Amino acid sequence: MLTFPKNFLWGAATSAHQVEGNNSCCDWWRWEQCEGHKPSGAACRHYEFYEQDFDLAKELGHNAHRLSVEWARIEQEKGKFSQCDLQHYIDVVIALKERGIEPIVTLHHFTNPAWLSGFGGWANKRAVEYFLRYAEFVVRALAPHVRYWVTVNEPTIYMSHAFLFGVWPPEKKSFFKAKTVENNLAVAHIKTYRMIHKTYDKMKLPAPRVSIAQNMMAFVPCTSSRKDKFAASLRDRLYNFGLIDKLTRAKTLDFIGVNYYSRQLVHLKKWGVGNIIWDTCQAGHQPLPKNSLGWDIYPAGLGDILLKLKKYGIPVMITENGICTTEDEERWEYISEHLKNIHMAISKGVPVLGYLYWSLMDNFEWDKGFVPRFGLIDVDYKTFKRAVRESARKFADVCRTGILK
Ligand code: FCB
């Protein structure tokens, strides 16, 4: 029996574009209309059904929920801010509060207003100022109801998929652009962090807690060779901790948001810059169970990462962790094994604030469309009916009692 700290935040995460539906003014929506791409369409119609969805979250014992505000709705046209869409998000966070659920609000979760693309998107440093202006508009309105903020979701994933591998809009494949985007996102975080604190100060509100959600992976060397060990530890340092180091040096993380899913088995064919950065084992060594997208399931990796985060002396929040599967028993197995590792880290002195499962309900999984099923709640995309899964009920016991049996 494992007991978690009192006041632990228990819940699930979503993002606007993936659940709301008809998010037609953002860059992703435009991109989805191209041939061969999977459109998000009405998604889960959460924009209309958020109250029913939060009723379910409450029924499932959740006391926290992570959501994102959609920049493309708030600022459909450059410089024109929509009071009506802002009101929607005020209503959303109030709906959470009324149900005793702590909102954790993300300001950027992969999508941008379509108009930003005309400026080169995040490769243009003006994006930072535009983002800050939007963020300030939102923060001023939501501050009385919100304590936890995530400025940018997974900056490294966004930068690499959109500007380096070119698999997400705007499909750029440029190392130079990717570096610029990475830097612009870091600057955007730092400026937004300071703006949020200043706003709370001016409004005489209790201090907010602001972070990013950093995608972290377990990098495991495939063999005990010097090559594999060196590359695994370098990737860990750069990919997992590079940005965290930078933002803690700037004193702009009140907690560290961790999105953890999987392991990468590192095996280098030869010494070479590209090999050090990319090579993985292709021979099926050290096999692990996989989710339906083929990602390795490796709960121990989360424990290792949390122990490494201890040195920062900052609280940690698991802002995402989840599995896509059509076998729901695997979901509970996944959750409970990760919770065991979180508990281990807490018992070794890592201050973990909470655990947010990805995701509250099945949703639009970016370029993969609607096939992967990550939800605690099943969504029928024809009728939009929700059905609570068995794993959600098991997780609910932990949320209600703070005890993992
Ligand atoms: C993360 C994203 C989230 C979701 C999960 C499966 O990288 O932040 O939106 O797509 O992966």
Side-chain angles (χ1 to χ4, degrees):
M1 205 172 81
L2 303 176
T3 306
F4 285 79
K6 258 177 122 187
N7 304 326
F8 201 74
L9 296 172
W10 293 107
T14 58
S15 90
H17 189 66
Q18 291 175 276
V19 293
E20 286 180 349
N22 298 313
N23 185 23
S24 59
C25 295
C26 79
D27 54 354
W28 263 88
W29 179 277
R30 303 276 156 102
W31 186 76
E32 287 158 27
Q33 311 314 312
C34 304
E35 222 191 294
H37 293 180
K38 302 183 173 72
S40 57
C44 311
R45 290 176 64 182
H46 176 71
Y47 196 88
E48 297 152 75
F49 298 147
Y50 68 91
E51 285 174 296
Q52 289 96 307
D53 290 335
F54 296 161
D55 284 343
L56 290 177
K58 185 183 173 190
E59 206 181 294
L60 291 170
H62 297 189
N63 64 10
H65 179 75
R66 178 172 169 230
L67 67 134
S68 76
V69 172
E70 183 56 55
W71 183 5
R73 290 190 194 275
I74 298 287
E75 194 180 355
Q76 285 178 24
E77 278 176 58
K78 182 170 166 276
K80 286 200 181 145
F81 291 87
S82 159
Q83 203 59 48
C84 164
D85 282 284
L86 180 66
Q87 189 57 48
H88 170 78
Y89 290 106
I90 299 174
D91 295 345
V92 166
V93 293
I94 290 177
L96 287 169
K97 296 291 276 261
E98 280 171 356
R99 290 163 178 77
I101 301 176
E102 180 78 43
I104 295 145
V105 179
T106 306
L107 288 162
H108 186 274
H109 197 122
F110 297 161
T111 51
N112 301 292
W115 58 259
L116 192 75
S117 316
F119 295 86
W122 280 95
N124 185 335
K125 82 169 186 259
R126 278 155 79 188
V128 176
E129 296 316 314
Y130 295 141
F131 177 74
L132 196 68
R133 192 172 65 170
Y134 141 76
E136 196 167 354
F137 181 71
V138 173
V139 169
R140 266 202 251 127
L142 264 52
H145 316 288
V146 175
R147 179 156 188 232
Y148 293 94
W149 292 92
V150 170
T151 56
V152 183
N153 180 67
E154 298 187 344
T156 322
I157 292 279
Y158 175 67
M159 166 279 276
S160 56
H161 285 56
F163 289 90
L164 188 61
F165 311 141
V167 291
W168 286 358
E171 289 192 15
K172 299 289 180 232
K173 288 185 188 165
S174 149
F175 181 76
F176 172 73
K177 279 211 167 84
K179 280 314 268 179
T180 310
V181 170
E182 185 180 38
N183 187 57
N184 288 343
L185 289 169
V187 175
H189 165 79
I190 292 172
K191 291 194 169 180
T192 308
Y193 175 96
R194 293 184 181 141
M195 177 277 289
I196 298 176
H197 274 269
K198 229 161 98 196
T199 306
Y200 277 64
D201 246 20
K202 270 203 227 142
M203 295 173 80
K204 301 204 173 14
L205 291 165
R209 287 179 157 188
V210 186
S211 183
I212 55 166
Q214 171 75 346
N215 183 280
M216 292 194 162
M217 286 241 261
F219 294 102
V220 176
C222 177
T223 69
S224 55
S225 72
R226 238 163 37 88
K227 286 203 289 296
D228 290 0
K229 286 199 333 219
F230 172 77
S233 101
L234 188 77
R235 287 181 207 178
D236 186 40
R237 270 216 313 276
L238 297 180
Y239 182 88
N240 287 337
F241 298 101
L243 185 58
I244 302 288
D245 282 342
K246 186 170 178 168
L247 301 182
T248 47
R249 270 199 307 273
K251 298 202 168 16
T252 59
L253 291 181
D254 300 318
F255 66 95
I256 300 171
V258 176
N259 292 1
Y260 177 82
Y261 288 89
S262 187
R263 170 196 78 166
Q264 194 182 85
L265 195 58
V266 180
H267 182 58
L268 266 59
K269 288 194 211 84
K270 56 174 192 238
W271 284 108
V273 180
N275 305 80
I276 292 173
I277 298 174
W278 307 121
D279 284 5
T280 54
C281 170
Q282 302 297 324
H285 294 144
Q286 302 183 41
L288 289 172
K290 294 183 193 309
N291 73 10
S292 66
L293 285 170
W295 306 352
D296 287 341
I297 297 172
Y298 186 57
L302 178 57
D304 294 343
I305 286 173
L306 291 175
L307 293 178
K308 286 185 196 154
L309 287 171
K310 191 174 170 186
K311 67 169 188 214
Y312 295 101
I314 300 171
V316 177
M317 191 192 299
I318 312 304
T319 36
E320 283 180 30
N321 172 244
I323 179 176
C324 51
T325 176
T326 47
E327 307 300 321
D328 190 47
E329 312 83 66
E330 291 178 1
R331 190 178 333 276
W332 173 242
E333 170 85 8
Y334 184 98
I335 296 174
S336 57
E337 289 306 312
H338 284 82
L339 288 181
K340 284 179 197 162
N341 277 282
I342 295 169
H343 190 272
M344 176 279 295
I346 295 174
S347 71
K348 294 196 171 156
V350 184
V352 184
L353 295 172
Y355 174 84
L356 303 167
Y357 177 79
W358 183 273
S359 175
L360 179 63
M361 62 194 122
D362 295 335
N363 60 46
F364 176 72
E365 179 51 31
W366 307 112
D367 53 321
K368 308 288 185 299
F370 289 104
V371 174
R373 299 275 178 166
F374 276 95
L376 291 171
I377 298 169
D378 167 271
V379 176
D380 178 330
Y381 294 114
K382 287 204 188 84
T383 60
F384 298 97
K385 278 222 174 75
R386 276 59 166 153
V388 172
R389 294 197 164 111
E390 197 44 41
S391 55
R393 305 216 183 271
K394 292 187 174 149
F395 179 49
D397 281 341
V398 185
C399 299
R400 282 195 207 100
T401 59
I403 294 171
L404 176 67
K405 286 197 197 117

